Amino acid sequence: MGLDDKIKNAAEKAGGKAKEAAGAASDDERLQAEGQTDQSKADLKNAGEKVKDA
């Protein structure tokens, strides 16, 4: 896994956490769900990169 990929995935996960927190603070369930989805996508990308490395 390249450093660029790690940074992009970490940024996507951080953005997802921010969306989720903003959604929770404003009682916006859609925004909260989007944040959780973004975090899941980042986790899946990390897993895919680890498989490529193996």
Side-chain angles (χ1 to χ4, degrees):
M1 178 189 295
L3 184 59
D4 289 341
D5 292 330
K6 285 183 182 180
I7 292 170
K8 287 178 187 176
N9 292 340
E12 185 172 0
K13 187 162 185 164
K17 284 184 180 185
K19 273 187 184 179
E20 183 179 5
S26 65
D27 290 328
D28 185 345
E29 292 179 7
R30 187 182 64 79
L31 186 60
Q32 196 171 3
E34 280 182 28
Q36 291 172 348
T37 300
D38 290 349
Q39 291 177 65
S40 295
K41 285 181 186 177
D43 289 340
L44 286 173
K45 287 178 185 177
N46 275 337
E49 291 295 329
K50 287 181 182 179
V51 168
K52 280 191 219 176
D53 290 344

